[in-house]
Amino acid sequence: MLVSYNWLKDFLDLDGQDPYELAEEITRSGVEIPDRIHPMDGLKKLVVGHVLDCEGVEGTHLHLTHVDVGEDEPLQIVCGAPNVAAGEDVIVALHGARIAGNEKIKKGKIRGMESYGMICGLQEIGFSDSVVPQEFVDGIYVFPADAEVKPGQDVYEALGMDDYILNFDITPNRADTLGMEGAAYEVGAIIDQKPKVEEKVVLKEDGPAWTDSLDVKVDEKLAPKFYLRKLENVKIQDSPLWLQRRLWNAGIRPINNVVDVTNYIMLLTGQPMHAYDAKTFANGKFEVRLANKGEKLTLLNEKEVDLDPKDIIITDGKKPVMMAGVMGGLDSEITSETTDVILESAIFDPTLVRKAALRHANRTEASSRYEKGVNWDATEKAINMAALLLRNDADATVDEGILKATDQKREPVVVKTTASYIDKVLGTKLSVDEIVKIFDRLCFKVDVDGDNLAVHVPNRRWDISIPADLVEEVGRLYGYDNLESTQPVLPETHGGYSEKEEMMRRMKAIVEGQGLMEAISYSLTSPEKATRYTKDPKDLVEVQSPLNSSRSAMRENLMTGLVDAASYNFARKQTQLALFEQGRTYDHDGGKFNEHEHLAAIYSGNTFAENWQHLTQKVDFYFVKGQLTNLFNAIGIDPEKVDYEAKGIKGMHPTRTAGIYIDKQYVGMIGMIAHAVTIADKALRGSELYGYEIDLDTIIPMLTKGVTAVPAPKFPAIQRDLSLLVDKPVTNQEIENVIKSNAGKYLTELKVIDVYAGAHIDVGKKSIAYNLTFLNRKDTLTDDVVNNAMDKIVAALENDLAIKVR
């Protein structure tokens, strides 16, 4: 919340208190103030000017004006604003002035006419578009009649730019400071002053009784407090300048005197309010209920929404006129034609308001307060104060009586604790009197009985309910800097990683060594993506109140995050990818929630960056399988125990995907992302993505504690090539199994060096060439031994698989 330093002075004596030092004290006491804004900083030579005459320049949009700026002679200024006119009081930047953006104003010529300054709009001197009154958005600012400004006077005070704006970065538990009165109590406690806050408002009711003229129905569960007041003969006009200043310094655009008063009261007390044109309820019906399915409402921002059955709405007995706690409807807005107004001050169910604001993407100042909490003691005070201001500023007649449709009471909380408990938790040696003094600064009444304290917490501090909350209040006002630093008395703990963590870090180091870059993705995704790339999906772990539908379920795989990362990179023309992620997946099985450690990788583009030194080769299934095989070898998994079986997995290519099995146990999958997935993503369309995902919870128990390095052999190896003509259905794995089982103990390496199918090969056949390496580490290997092994291999291939050796 943007808190005005000048407005704080209405409640506290801040003379001699430097705004920046005060902001630092507040930050150290628990409410962070990241920004301190002095609107006039960097500006100079901005004064009030009175336009004496104004003539249009033929053939242009320009006007030639003469402006009184308090000097001996009027200044001639050329102005292009459509709303400049004689008799106006305006903002003038003199020759040598500095305006927003550190832009310097100089005298010059425009269309051959001398111009000795500039008539400014509010945006040009640093105001945000969002707070500039609508009538001045596209032109210069014109001071209202009540501004009491004189030519030549600096504009800063008149526009509230001499103020200091403290940006209270409020945590959800401190929503009591979302009103100036709450902020005053907070600052008063810090500087040890009692704020001058008006507890009750004396309001003279000069109109007829009206409460029997409206039939109001309110569900107490939806709105435990609901008050209405009626005002007649309201004159709709601009608010006085003092009120507009306070609104725009708080980041709110002035609209008209009725709407501005409701916003002002919200900023003052923290109690959101709403004003209806009384004609909306001409039928005498007023109802607060949940919306019906199919109902629609056009909001004040002209956005039409389809109401949800869990939205609280205000109706005229039939049709909706407001989304309660969020925003009013267009049909009930205050316009220049409005004469009678109904004011609302209420407490709505915070959960339903928050969900409605999120559901319709329409979070407002009112909804942000309702969802965090509102002071129940301010409901009546707020509606009376608003009526009083409208009687003064809009010549309104206040009808007799408040219509209290619901009026639940909330008694102040009494929290019991002891002074010794507070000292023990904080590590202090404060006396009972010192602790009571701190509560007195907070305006909390305390009953003392020896060491026992009974603290009466007013309703404006609904965040305090248990003794620990009181400890926090004492600690922050005593000063965290004043707490003695001591070494905690705890048993000695040994650092380091668990055995499982060491294994995971070892695997990550190997994958990084293969050239992959680590990615970290969200654990939350959509329900459809959560179960994609998963062989046997379990029940989803879903979030009860998701921020949006794309983050509503916990992931059951890591691949979905890597595919999203690939899409992000492809959209930025980065198509050469090698990414991995090590993280957790989540599922719900048989009433039990589970977490699993996984490792996944994704590849796209070429196996090596394009270079004249080597052939450009696209990433394919076999390249990724080789990367995974290298990983298994490095962590000590016997390749003989690893099998790959074709599997149909959602989100993966139907014929280029395999399940990974170690000792017949499923540990993950490898393959290509399905075309359906890449086609659906505009950035990935036409691309090929390959990857794998393995379950570390299953693999880690299979690992050895390390890999033993073996010295280079002393004796030479012998290599043989084997070219085979095989039937296409015969797999490489079947061939390798036969070779390894018949090669004897000296076969140390077997690899495919060529695969061919096409011309000069019989239909239904393929040619595969293998390289076999034989090595005896203890003696020189002879050709006879190798030839004997090769003969056995050839015989077995011909007999077992009907393979022809070429």
Side-chain angles (χ1 to χ4, degrees):
M1 175 176 169
L2 301 178
V3 174
S4 161
Y5 179 78
N6 287 345
W7 197 350
L8 274 178
K9 288 181 178 180
D10 289 356
F11 306 99
L12 300 163
D13 180 9
L14 298 179
D15 291 340
Q17 182 80 49
D18 180 82
Y20 294 102
E21 291 180 1
L22 177 62
E24 184 63 30
E25 286 186 58
I26 297 170
T27 297
R28 288 202 306 268
S29 298
V31 177
E32 184 181 0
I33 300 182
D35 299 314
R36 306 157 180 83
I37 305 164
H38 192 33
M40 64 184 286
D41 277 351
L43 307 178
K44 70 176 184 178
K45 300 184 77 171
L46 298 179
V47 300
V48 176
H50 182 74
V51 182
L52 300 175
D53 57 58
C54 176
E55 295 182 6
V57 179
E58 188 175 353
T60 73
H61 70 288
L62 302 174
H63 301 84
L64 183 64
T65 69
H66 291 88
V67 184
D68 178 7
V69 293
E71 298 180 358
D72 295 338
E73 296 292 331
L75 295 183
Q76 178 173 292
I77 298 176
V78 179
C79 179
N83 62 327
V84 65
E88 295 175 341
D89 289 324
V90 295
I91 305 167
V92 176
L94 302 174
H95 171 67
R98 293 281 181 181
I99 60 174
N102 199 33
E103 186 176 345
K104 189 174 182 179
I105 302 301
K106 300 178 181 179
K107 62 184 178 181
K109 283 188 176 182
I110 302 176
R111 295 290 181 98
M113 297 173 288
E114 295 282 353
S115 184
Y116 293 90
M118 174 181 176
I119 302 177
C120 301
L122 290 175
Q123 299 97 318
E124 291 164 320
I125 63 172
F127 281 66
S128 168
D129 275 332
S130 63
V131 302
V132 175
Q134 194 62 47
E135 60 183 308
F136 303 125
V137 166
D138 298 319
I140 60 169
Y141 179 72
V142 180
F143 285 98
D146 69 312
E148 298 181 357
V149 292
K150 296 179 181 179
Q153 171 187 332
D154 285 343
V155 301
Y156 311 117
E157 182 178 355
L159 296 175
M161 302 182 75
D162 62 335
D163 201 354
Y164 292 86
I165 312 300
L166 309 180
N167 184 5
F168 278 42
D169 190 2
I170 297 167
T171 52
N173 66 308
R174 288 308 310 274
D176 59 289
T177 56
L178 281 172
M180 286 300 302
E181 291 179 345
Y185 276 111
E186 175 68 11
V187 176
I190 292 168
I191 64 175
D192 196 10
Q193 281 189 33
K194 291 287 196 311
K196 298 185 286 290
V197 175
E198 199 172 358
E199 296 297 333
K200 292 185 178 181
V201 176
V202 178
L203 176 64
K204 180 182 177 183
E205 299 172 327
D206 45 12
W210 75 285
T211 53
D212 292 336
S213 65
L214 197 61
D215 180 17
V216 181
K217 295 181 180 178
V218 179
D219 186 337
E220 195 172 53
K221 293 180 180 178
L222 304 179
K225 291 189 82 170
F226 195 87
Y227 293 2
L228 297 174
R229 261 199 183 280
K230 186 176 181 182
L231 292 85
E232 298 181 352
N233 305 317
V234 179
K235 182 180 179 182
I236 306 298
Q237 58 190 6
D238 290 338
S239 296
L241 185 56
W242 70 265
L243 180 52
Q244 294 191 48
R245 280 197 301 262
R246 291 195 165 173
L247 290 180
W248 63 46
N249 277 353
I252 294 177
R253 185 199 300 274
I255 305 295
N256 59 51
N257 51 353
V258 174
V259 176
D260 292 352
V261 160
T262 60
N263 284 330
Y264 173 79
I265 296 302
M266 178 184 67
L267 292 174
L268 176 64
T269 65
Q271 169 66 59
M273 294 193 63
H274 191 68
Y276 304 91
D277 188 322
K279 292 195 298 288
T280 306
F281 307 101
N283 62 359
K285 303 291 185 181
F286 191 114
E287 185 178 3
V288 181
R289 60 169 172 83
L290 292 176
N292 296 320
K293 188 175 182 180
E295 286 187 303
K296 298 178 181 291
L297 174 65
T298 303
L299 301 173
L300 286 171
N301 58 9
E302 300 184 359
K303 174 183 177 182
E304 185 179 70
V305 296
D306 294 316
L307 294 170
D308 187 272
K310 292 183 180 180
D311 294 336
I312 309 174
I313 59 170
I314 311 295
T315 77
D316 63 357
K318 294 183 180 179
K319 66 179 187 297
V321 299
M322 178 185 177
M323 189 185 299
V326 180
M327 184 177 282
L330 195 62
D331 292 341
S332 62
E333 75 169 328
I334 304 298
T335 68
S336 58
E337 306 300 321
T338 300
T339 56
D340 295 350
V341 171
I342 293 178
L343 294 177
E344 168 201 290
S345 180
I347 305 290
F348 293 109
D349 182 285
T351 302
L352 293 180
V353 170
R354 178 179 63 83
K355 289 183 177 180
L358 291 173
R359 187 182 299 118
H360 300 292
N362 206 62
R363 201 157 181 265
T364 61
E365 291 285 344
S367 69
S368 68
R369 285 167 171 79
Y370 276 124
E371 69 184 42
K372 294 179 179 70
V374 177
N375 180 9
W376 282 45
D377 289 348
T379 311
E380 185 169 354
K381 171 185 169 180
I383 200 168
N384 287 339
M385 191 174 290
L388 178 61
L389 286 172
L390 289 175
R391 190 176 66 181
N392 295 338
D393 298 333
D395 300 327
T397 299
V398 181
D399 285 356
E400 181 184 338
I402 299 179
L403 202 162
K404 299 182 179 180
T406 58
D407 193 20
Q408 280 188 21
K409 302 298 180 184
R410 177 176 284 183
E411 294 300 325
V413 173
V414 178
V415 182
K416 295 182 178 180
T417 186
T418 62
S420 56
Y421 169 75
I422 294 173
D423 277 335
K424 179 182 178 181
V425 175
L426 294 176
T428 56
K429 296 179 181 179
L430 296 172
S431 67
V432 172
D433 289 342
E434 288 175 310
I435 293 174
V436 171
K437 172 61 178 173
I438 289 174
F439 288 134
D440 182 60
R441 287 164 59 183
L442 290 162
C443 300
F444 293 178
K445 180 176 176 275
V446 184
D447 296 332
V448 180
D449 181 12
D451 187 49
N452 297 312
L453 306 175
V455 182
H456 298 256
V457 182
N459 280 330
R460 61 179 173 80
R461 288 299 306 274
W462 59 90
D463 59 304
I464 297 175
S465 58
I466 59 176
D469 296 330
L470 297 178
V471 173
E472 181 184 5
E473 295 300 301
V474 172
R476 67 187 189 86
L477 290 182
Y478 175 68
Y480 294 128
D481 294 342
N482 296 324
L483 297 180
E484 184 180 351
S485 297
T486 57
Q487 183 70 30
V489 181
L490 297 171
E492 183 180 358
T493 57
H494 297 280
Y497 298 100
S498 67
E499 185 176 343
K500 182 178 180 180
E501 289 170 331
E502 288 284 5
M503 291 288 191
M504 289 191 294
R505 289 172 65 84
R506 176 176 151 202
M507 295 178 72
K508 286 176 64 175
I510 294 168
V511 174
E512 287 172 346
Q514 292 177 325
L516 281 81
M517 182 179 294
E518 185 172 11
I520 300 175
S521 57
Y522 290 113
S523 296
L524 289 169
T525 185
S526 66
E528 194 274 333
K529 288 183 177 180
T531 55
R532 194 186 283 174
Y533 318 114
T534 307
K535 176 174 157 291
D536 297 311
K538 302 287 194 306
D539 291 338
L540 282 175
V541 179
E542 296 189 271
V543 179
Q544 289 185 344
S545 302
L547 291 175
N548 54 60
S549 59
S550 64
R551 296 280 181 259
S552 62
M554 303 294 283
R555 64 189 180 189
E556 290 193 18
N557 64 83
L558 302 182
M559 189 61 71
T560 185
L562 292 177
V563 172
D564 288 345
S567 173
Y568 180 90
N569 281 275
F570 268 67
R572 289 154 181 80
K573 309 302 181 185
Q574 302 298 314
T575 58
Q576 184 74 27
L577 299 180
L579 305 175
F580 84 96
E581 180 172 6
Q582 191 279 305
R584 291 178 180 174
T585 64
Y586 309 85
D587 62 52
H588 181 214
D589 187 15
K592 182 181 178 183
F593 292 94
N594 305 302
E595 295 182 354
H596 307 283
E597 297 285 354
H598 278 211
L599 174 70
I602 196 166
Y603 300 80
S604 72
N606 300 321
T607 55
F608 297 96
E610 200 167 326
N611 193 290
W612 64 272
Q613 293 177 306
H614 55 72
L615 293 174
T616 299
Q617 191 172 11
K618 285 186 174 295
V619 167
D620 59 12
F621 179 92
Y622 298 103
F623 172 78
V624 177
K625 180 173 176 284
Q627 293 280 86
L628 184 59
T629 300
N630 289 340
L631 171 62
F632 286 155
N633 287 336
I635 60 178
I637 290 179
D638 185 354
E640 299 293 327
K641 298 181 178 180
V642 182
D643 293 313
Y644 298 88
E645 295 181 10
K647 288 290 177 185
I649 296 175
K650 181 181 176 183
M652 300 299 291
H653 193 284
T655 61
R656 301 183 191 177
T657 301
I660 307 167
Y661 293 82
I662 300 177
D663 278 342
K664 309 302 182 183
Q665 188 173 358
Y666 180 80
V667 297
M669 62 88 186
I670 181 172
M672 176 180 165
I673 305 300
H675 289 306
V677 174
T678 54
I679 289 172
D681 189 315
K682 185 177 179 181
L684 296 175
R685 199 165 295 164
S687 63
E688 291 188 358
L689 300 176
Y690 289 88
Y692 63 81
E693 181 163 347
I694 54 178
D695 182 354
L696 301 187
D697 286 346
T698 305
I699 291 177
I700 286 175
M702 303 176 179
L703 303 185
T704 58
K705 291 188 177 181
V707 177
T708 303
V710 178
K714 297 178 180 179
F715 303 99
I718 296 177
Q719 293 187 336
R720 292 282 190 272
D721 291 338
L722 191 62
S723 181
L724 308 176
L725 185 65
V726 304
D727 293 332
K728 281 190 176 181
V730 177
T731 66
N732 171 67
Q733 192 65 53
E734 291 176 301
I735 297 172
E736 287 192 356
N737 290 342
V738 171
I739 292 174
K740 289 176 182 178
S741 61
N742 292 276
K745 62 182 179 180
Y746 298 126
L747 179 67
T748 57
E749 187 177 359
L750 172 64
K751 59 185 178 182
V752 177
I753 56 175
D754 184 59
V755 178
Y756 176 76
H760 311 297
I761 296 291
D762 294 342
V763 177
K765 300 285 186 177
K766 61 184 175 183
S767 173
I768 306 179
Y770 292 88
N771 178 262
L772 293 78
T773 301
F774 296 87
L775 173 67
N776 184 347
R777 291 184 175 274
K778 297 180 179 180
D779 200 355
T780 301
L781 195 61
T782 64
D783 283 339
D784 291 340
V785 174
V786 174
N787 291 338
N788 185 44
M790 291 297 296
D791 291 341
K792 290 182 179 178
I793 291 171
V794 170
L797 289 172
E798 291 174 343
N799 294 332
D800 296 350
L801 299 177
I803 290 175
K804 181 178 179 181
V805 179
R806 303 177 70 192

